Amino acid sequence: MLEVEAKFAVPDTSRIRARLNRQGVRMTRRQQERDVYYNAPHRDFGETDEALRVRYDDTGVTVTYKAPKIRVGSAKAREEFNLAVASGETLEEILSRLGFRRAATVSKVREFYEMGEVTVTLDDVEGLGTFIEIEILTEVGTEDAAERIGAVAKGLGVDGPPIYTSYLEMLLSRQR
């Protein structure tokens, strides 16, 4: 499965939330997420553009591997594998014993809006600010997905350049 997404910094999510509501799109859920990122002992994920994440949220714990990003028009795509785990603490202990090192933790409050196959999230990321992400999960047709994401962004009045770096990359660049 490929995740195709575009992310934009927004000074105020209330304008976008109001536009979503005017279009009849309601929030499906709001949750707190704490993402703990790890780096491998045998290669640097910062150099290979990969990510290994343990996500704690209101629904449980998920481990995610993200392959390197691919630019698709004004969006990015990356292969992603997710697996629910019973105990994040146990998983983190296993990773530690295997030599994986914590790289950073990203905390955010996220609102989800579903528009058919398009998911819109409004994110308030601790230490970074507020953002909108528009994404489509697909097995094929990344160019088409990127075009649809662009149309949704335009329809929501989102302008400005898309951000291709992850929240992790943004956070790490501020710490340097």
Side-chain angles (χ1 to χ4, degrees):
M1 189 65 69
L2 285 173
E3 172 191 71
V4 182
E5 75 173 26
K7 176 185 349 195
F8 303 87
V10 292
D12 180 15
T13 56
S14 63
R15 284 186 25 236
I16 296 167
R17 190 178 296 110
R19 284 191 177 195
L20 286 163
N21 288 330
R22 279 195 299 275
Q23 293 179 20
V25 180
R26 301 288 178 240
M27 181 176 30
T28 57
R29 73 183 186 281
R30 183 176 203 261
Q31 68 185 25
Q32 178 81 34
E33 295 178 353
R34 183 172 58 89
D35 296 337
V36 182
Y37 287 88
Y38 281 85
N39 206 352
H42 58 289
R43 66 179 180 261
D44 183 349
F45 289 159
E47 291 178 11
T48 62
D49 195 27
E50 296 169 282
L52 180 64
R53 171 185 78 201
V54 180
R55 171 171 286 168
Y56 296 85
D57 63 31
D58 300 340
T59 64
V61 182
T62 306
V63 61
T64 301
Y65 166 77
K66 293 185 175 213
K69 292 185 270 309
I70 305 162
R71 287 280 292 268
V72 183
S74 62
K76 68 177 181 180
R78 60 189 333 180
E79 193 174 26
E80 183 175 301
F81 299 93
N82 295 292
L83 180 67
V85 295
S87 170
E89 292 79 14
T90 301
L91 173 62
E92 288 196 66
E93 183 64 28
I94 290 168
L95 291 172
S96 176
R97 290 185 184 206
L98 291 172
F100 286 75
R101 299 172 320 284
R102 273 187 182 214
T105 299
V106 177
S107 296
K108 61 187 167 290
V109 176
R110 196 166 235 199
E111 295 178 8
F112 292 84
Y113 298 81
E114 304 296 332
M115 302 174 70
E117 65 183 340
V118 178
T119 300
V120 174
T121 61
L122 301 180
D123 297 339
D124 186 350
V125 185
E126 189 176 301
L128 295 177
T130 52
F131 302 85
I132 179 174
E133 284 191 5
I134 306 166
E135 81 173 38
I136 295 174
L137 294 177
T138 184
E139 293 181 13
V140 294
T142 56
E143 290 289 337
D144 180 55
E147 288 174 16
R148 287 180 291 168
I149 287 169
V152 169
K154 186 176 181 182
L156 293 174
V158 176
D159 54 5
I163 299 169
Y164 297 104
T165 56
S166 68
Y167 294 138
L168 171 63
E169 291 166 322
M170 287 190 278
L171 193 63
L172 290 175
S173 73
R174 286 192 171 190
Q175 293 175 355
R176 291 184 188 138

